[in-house]
Amino acid sequence: TQTGSGGIYGRGALVTEGAALVAVDSAFEDNAHTGIKAEDPGSTVDLERVAVRDTRTDDLGLDGAGIFLFDGAVLTAVDCTLERNHTIALQLNELDTPHPAAGETAAYLDGVEIRDTRPDDLGEWGAGIQMSDGAQLVLDDVLLEGQHGTSLSVFGAGTVASLSGTTITSTQYDNWGFAIGAQAVDGGQLYAAQSTFDDNGGVAVEVYGAGTAVTLEDVEIRNTRSNPAGDFGRAIEVIFGATLTVTGGLIEDNRDAGVYVSETGSSATLSGLEIHRTGRIPTQTAATGIACQRDATVVADGITVAGTEGPGLYAVQCALTCTDCTIDDNAFAGVSAVGNTT
């Protein structure tokens, strides 16, 4: 499909005004601007064993999304592939003036693989899934691999993503030196169970802003990489008033910090978590298994922190409680508490 007048638009499929698209054993390939776009209340897209690939940017070098949903459209995708699209593989949001009857824009993905979303011609984005404005997302047995910048972004109050058996891996740095495996921002909610974050750049899981909450259950986070300047490589970062809850799981072979919690109102509750071998980055004198600072709060129960290239627990002007914890074989100190810390 080619672009239209003005060098923009050129969608492979457009679903509007409550219409339905059902595709089985099909492909949307080498289309301009957007592979599949769905909008308006009641509009549905049902895909089974469908590939959406190689969507091109428009003549202005922008867009190139695989699937774009807004204003209450709903996607169900089973055993599908989204690969080598541009800017964003799957986007869910509302327009500036949403339809007054629009419900929640939503996507339900089962057994879907999202690979190698590429930046636009300006070198920006390349995200796997981006959602906002109260959209809902359920991922079951989904693979996000080789995105650029972010693999999953959950923005804004009422926006909720639920992951089960999902793998987010090999998130690459974009042209701005930015990379995050999954992020919840400014009130977004992320729930992940029995999922894996492996070999992502920058930060594997970012929890940012007041009202933002991330819950992880039996999740593994491994091998987060530093950026080209040698910074970051953190497994989890909780900042600016956000909330993290972790039950079980494993954090190993990350850089700089296993769990980093900072700023007033930020909190982390950790139960049964194991944190192993957090490595030092070149720009710091030591790594930390868990870092708590600037009036943040960490409550840990039954956790293990071992093999850190620095203190297992590092607390500066914060409140940290650790009950029935094992702090073993860390460098410099098992626990380092500095300043006005309790």
Side-chain angles (χ1 to χ4, degrees), residues 16 45 86 95 107 161 172-174 181 289 296 310 327 332:
T16 66
V45 176
H86 286 80
L95 294 181
Q172 305 299 309
Y173 287 94
D174 61 17
I327 313 299
F332 304 131

Side-chain angles (χ1 to χ4, degrees), residues 34-316:
T34 308
I36 300 172
K37 182 177 182 180
E39 60 186 87
D40 300 329
S43 296
T44 60
V45 176
D46 290 279
L47 309 177
E48 185 173 357
R49 299 185 301 278
V50 167
V52 181
R53 61 169 70 99
D54 298 317
T55 309
R56 292 175 280 109
T57 57
D58 59 25
D59 292 356
L60 302 178
L62 304 175
D63 294 296
I67 301 175
F68 181 22
L69 309 173
F70 66 96
D71 273 359
V74 175
L75 165 71
T76 301
V78 178
D79 296 334
C80 295
T81 300
L82 283 70
E83 61 184 353
R84 299 188 304 273
N85 299 290
H86 286 80
T87 312
I88 301 171
L90 171 62
Q91 183 171 2
L92 303 85
N93 62 10
E94 310 295 347
L95 294 181
D96 293 336
T97 54
H99 192 290
E104 295 171 339
T105 304
Y108 305 91
L109 277 57
D110 185 355
V112 171
E113 296 186 354
I114 301 176
R115 300 178 183 272
D116 191 24
T117 307
R118 299 175 176 183
D120 61 22
D121 291 357
L122 299 178
E124 298 179 356
W125 299 103
I129 301 174
Q130 187 177 98
M131 54 187 299
S132 62
D133 307 309
Q136 307 293 299
L137 174 70
V138 177
L139 304 182
D140 188 7
D141 191 26
V142 168
L143 172 67
L144 285 143
E145 181 178 29
Q147 318 305 317
H148 292 79
T150 58
S151 285
L152 171 63
S153 297
V154 185
F155 290 104
T159 308
V160 180
S162 298
L163 286 60
S164 177
T166 289
T167 297
I168 296 178
T169 184
S170 303
T171 307
Q172 305 299 309
Y173 287 94
D174 61 17
N175 284 6
W176 304 102
F178 179 84
I180 294 176
Q183 63 178 173
V185 178
D186 294 341
Q189 313 285 306
L190 170 65
Y191 304 89
Q194 292 82 50
S195 296
T196 299
F197 296 80
D198 186 32
D199 191 36
N200 296 291
V203 178
V205 178
E206 181 186 64
V207 195
Y208 183 106
T212 304
V214 168
T215 300
L216 306 178
E217 182 176 348
D218 295 326
V219 166
E220 296 187 1
I221 304 176
R222 307 189 195 98
N223 304 314
T224 310
R225 292 173 280 105
S226 300
N227 64 19
D231 295 319
F232 293 97
R234 296 170 180 166
I236 305 175
E237 182 177 82
V238 186
I239 53 178
F240 299 115
T243 300
L244 169 73
T245 303
V246 180
T247 303
L250 174 65
I251 292 175
E252 65 178 2
D253 296 322
N254 300 284
R255 312 293 293 175
D256 190 42
V259 179
Y260 177 89
V261 188
S262 182
E263 311 299 337
T264 302
S266 297
S267 67
T269 302
L270 314 174
S271 177
L273 173 66
E274 296 193 11
I275 303 174
H276 294 281
R277 298 184 301 277
T278 305
R280 183 182 68 85
I281 59 175
T283 56
Q284 299 293 330
T285 57
T288 54
I290 298 173
C292 173
Q293 62 184 29
R294 297 175 183 169
D295 299 315
T297 300
V298 173
V299 177
D301 179 58
I303 70 168
T304 297
V305 182
T308 311
E309 292 184 349
L313 307 180
Y314 179 69
V316 181

Side-chain angles (χ1 to χ4, degrees), residues 4-19:
S5 61
I8 58 175
Y9 307 128
R11 310 167 185 111
L14 176 62
V15 185
T16 66
E17 299 180 354

